Amino acid sequence: MNNAIRNHRNYDADDYAYLAAKGWSDAEILARWDQEAARGNGACRWQGEVARAKLKAVRDRR
């Protein structure tokens, strides 16, 4: 993981782990977060039982 990822205003460790586990490159993740930030959206937070289960399922596939 590079500094651009770690320092991005939409960085969230769980969101990064999820997207990386889905096969997204760092460049693709940055582009997605840039788009979301431009729309005024903050970081995706993987909170709640359903979200945590989805994150775990994707991460466990690797």
Side-chain angles (χ1 to χ4, degrees):
M1 173 186 343
N2 63 44
N3 284 337
I5 291 281
R6 276 191 285 281
N7 296 327
H8 197 283
R9 67 180 257 189
N10 280 20
Y11 172 77
D12 178 85
D14 288 335
D15 196 34
Y16 177 79
Y18 175 80
L19 295 172
K22 295 282 281 183
W24 291 45
S25 70
D26 283 355
E28 291 169 323
I29 293 169
L30 284 171
R32 166 83 176 250
W33 289 348
D34 286 344
Q35 291 170 347
E36 291 173 350
R39 289 191 297 260
N41 298 328
C44 179
R45 304 289 184 213
W46 290 84
Q47 299 171 339
E49 187 176 328
V50 172
R52 298 302 298 173
K54 182 177 176 181
L55 174 63
K56 182 179 180 334
V58 170
R59 290 179 80 180
D60 288 352
R61 283 193 299 197
R62 282 192 110 187

